[in-house]
Every structure is written in C-alpha cells, then in structure tokens.
Amino acid sequence: MLLYFHDQQDAAEKLAEAADMPAACIDSHRFPDGELKLRLPAQVPQRVVLYRSLDNPNEKMVELLLAAQTARVLGARHLTLVAPYMAYMRQDMAFTPGEAISQRIVGQFLSTIVNAIITVDPHLHRVATMQELVPGASAVVLTGAEILSDLIVQRRERPMLIGPDAESRQWIAQAAKRHGLDFAVCTKVRSGDHAVQVALPPVDVAGRAVVILDDIASTGQTVAAAARLLRAADAASIDAAVTHALFAPQAMERMRAAGVGEVWSTDCIAHPSNCVSMAPLLAEALRQIERQSGG
Ligand code: R5P
C-alpha cells in the first residue's frame, strides 16, 4: 500500500498506478497551536510505501516520523520512503566551525525510521553515494537528467547543454550522453543566498539553442547568472531544465528577466513548470526494492 499526503496527491497517484499498488491518503489535522494529528488507514499491510517529497522539509520530517511509527504500530514490517526530493543534501560539511552537517544528520534520522529510501538526484558533492548517508536502510537513487534530456531534444533543434556549476557535471554528462549532445560546465562561486558569480566555459554558444540544466533551482540566481552571460554571448535561445523545482518567491521572474525562455522540470516537486513524470522510474525502483528485500 502506498500512503501519501494530500498536497502530493497527483504525483503519488501516478506512482501508485505505475506500480499497480493500492493508495490511500493520510488524513492530517493541524491544531490551533500548530501541532499535527495524522490518521492512517486503520489496517495496513506488511509492506508500506510512504510517498513524501521533502521540499519545505522541517514540517514534513515530523509528519514522516509520525506516519512511519504509526504504520509500524498498525502492522507494517517493511517501510519504503519515496522522497523524490531529498532535503538538506547541500549542507554536506561544516563550512565554518560549529555548523551542523545537516546532510549526515538527516540521512541518519531517515534511516532509523524506514527500511528503504528511493530518491532522485540527491545533491551529493563531497559524499559519493546516498547509501553512505543512510547506513541503516537500503537506498536507490534515480536521475531526472535522462528524461529531461528526452524532453529537450523534442523541444529544441541541436541543443547545447550548459551546467551552471561544477556539481552539475554529473547530471549534464548523463543528459548529454543520452542523445549525443554538446555540453559544457560553468564555474560558480556562491557567497550568499542571493549572491552568485558564474563564469562561462570557453565554448562558442553564438546562434545555439542553449539549455541550462541543473539538479535544483531555488532562488533562481544560479540559472539567472548563467543566462545573463549566455545572452551576452549571443545564444539563439536560452531555456532551463531542472529536476527539482524548488523555486522560492521571485525565482521565475528573476530567471525570465535574465533571458530564460522556457523552464522545464520533473514532478519531483509539484510546480507549474513540471513537464515530465518520474512515476515509471519510481515504480521500477519500488520493484527493485521488493526483489532485494524478498517481498
Ligand atoms: C547547488 O550547487 C545546486 O546544484 C544549485 O545550483 C543551487 O542549489 C541553485 O540554487 P539557486 O537557484 O538558489 O541559485
């Protein structure tokens, strides 16, 4: 049985259909003081999948804790978390002494409440694999880069992919390889939430249909900084494709003002820019977990 929360009903139901599983919505009530009360179906089977993408994670991790423990009390023996967006992955070291290494703490927390985790393009930079972050659970990592690449070649002639920073190389390389596309990667220095400096790589983008591809857009500053340079370098068109459409307020306006035409994203995070569904790949990952765990 797949359990989901009301605000992610569309993506969860698509996954339930692709995986051929029954699905039920977890009922959630918020008390006047802000606390939550959850209600799951009165009986759950031995194998339960919790669908919770972890954008706006602070609340959602408490929900997950309550839901996972309740599912166990109601009879679940094996819990799989499908979190297409995995939160807190960018804080992967103490950049100044005393900072919490959130990536590690969140990974450990999740691995104590579920048996398996499926996620998409987690922002792994200084850590090689998701499995290292969730020692007590099994991890399956998928990518949105290839299905975004499929979409890009349908929408643009002879596109060139540009990654806005070094971390994006892993996704750009996969997306480019799938359709034999030209690609290059910028360098970026971030000095604050809204302060980024990007430098273009030495490639000729004049007259090319350029697509900036990244795992995440949040403030949109990274995409906007790259777009301004591409516009100045006479790119014929500039579009953006991201796996995770976090999009803080003003992000879309900021990117458009910098010259970005279309914005395409996967449905890992529900957003009007969603163009491709992760459901078929997530369903296959669920089958893989089932085989591995003898379900
Ligand atoms: C970081 O390296 C990520 O890959 C993204 O480039 C970053 O999170 C985008 O953030 P923003 O949209 O706020 O510039």
Side-chain angles (χ1 to χ4, degrees):
M1 176 182 282
L2 183 143
L3 300 177
Y4 61 89
F5 292 83
H6 183 68
D7 59 308
Q8 293 174 337
Q9 181 169 7
D10 284 357
E13 285 187 344
K14 269 190 199 145
L15 173 56
E17 195 182 332
D20 197 19
M21 299 174 76
C25 186
I26 295 175
D27 192 57
S28 176
H29 172 75
R30 183 177 296 280
F31 292 105
D33 56 13
E35 291 184 5
L36 289 167
K37 180 176 69 174
L38 301 185
R39 187 165 54 83
L40 280 63
Q43 284 187 321
V44 301
Q46 290 203 354
R47 300 182 69 87
V48 168
V49 176
L50 287 169
Y51 184 95
R52 200 54 169 147
S53 208
L54 290 171
D55 48 305
N56 296 316
N58 299 350
E59 288 251 323
K60 291 181 183 172
M61 284 200 285
V62 174
E63 285 175 340
L64 262 185
L65 174 64
L66 299 177
Q69 304 286 39
T70 307
R72 299 248 186 236
V73 169
L74 294 170
R77 295 282 167 271
H78 187 280
L79 284 178
T80 299
L81 167 64
V82 176
Y85 176 66
M86 181 57 68
Y88 283 109
M89 291 293 107
R90 285 164 288 177
Q91 182 73 24
D92 62 357
M93 61 177 275
F95 294 90
T96 56
E99 280 181 4
I101 305 176
S102 316
Q103 185 192 64
R104 204 178 293 163
I105 297 165
V106 167
Q108 274 169 1
F109 163 69
L110 294 176
S111 75
T112 61
I113 63 169
V114 297
N115 304 93
I117 295 174
I118 300 171
T119 190
V120 184
D121 292 337
H123 191 91
L124 301 182
H125 180 39
R126 278 160 279 257
V127 169
T129 65
M130 190 70 203
Q131 190 62 68
E132 292 168 53
L133 298 175
V134 291
S138 41
V140 177
V141 170
L142 304 173
T143 184
E146 294 186 339
I147 55 171
L148 285 172
S149 179
D150 295 348
L151 178 88
I152 289 165
V153 297
Q154 285 166 23
R155 303 282 175 99
R156 293 293 175 260
E157 284 282 322
R158 219 169 62 84
M160 174 187 270
L161 303 182
I162 291 286
D165 54 24
E167 289 103 311
S168 65
R169 179 174 290 277
Q170 53 189 305
W171 301 292
I172 281 275
Q174 267 177 301
K177 187 174 171 204
R178 185 156 169 106
H179 293 286
L181 305 179
D182 294 337
F183 75 99
V185 174
C186 302
T187 50
K188 178 175 91 177
V189 178
R190 172 161 235 134
S191 48
D193 291 346
H194 285 271
V196 293
Q197 281 201 315
V198 171
L200 284 187
V203 288
D204 185 10
V205 299
R208 298 292 303 268
V210 176
V211 179
I212 303 167
L213 188 135
D214 206 356
D215 60 335
I216 295 169
S218 174
T219 63
Q221 295 284 13
T222 299
V223 169
R228 280 191 289 272
L229 296 173
L230 291 164
R231 187 167 57 179
D234 290 330
S237 63
I238 306 163
D239 303 292
V242 294
T243 302
H244 302 298
L246 278 176
F247 295 129
Q250 310 306 318
M252 291 298 259
E253 293 81 351
R254 185 170 291 126
M255 294 190 301
R256 298 231 186 272
V260 175
E262 297 202 28
V263 178
W264 304 305
S265 64
T266 74
D267 63 353
C268 287
I269 295 173
H271 187 266
S273 63
N274 291 171
C275 289
V276 288
S277 166
M278 289 301 300
L281 295 172
L282 292 169
E284 182 47 41
L286 281 173
R287 288 189 275 273
Q288 184 184 331
I289 295 279
E290 198 170 337
R291 286 192 297 272
Q292 282 169 359
S293 58

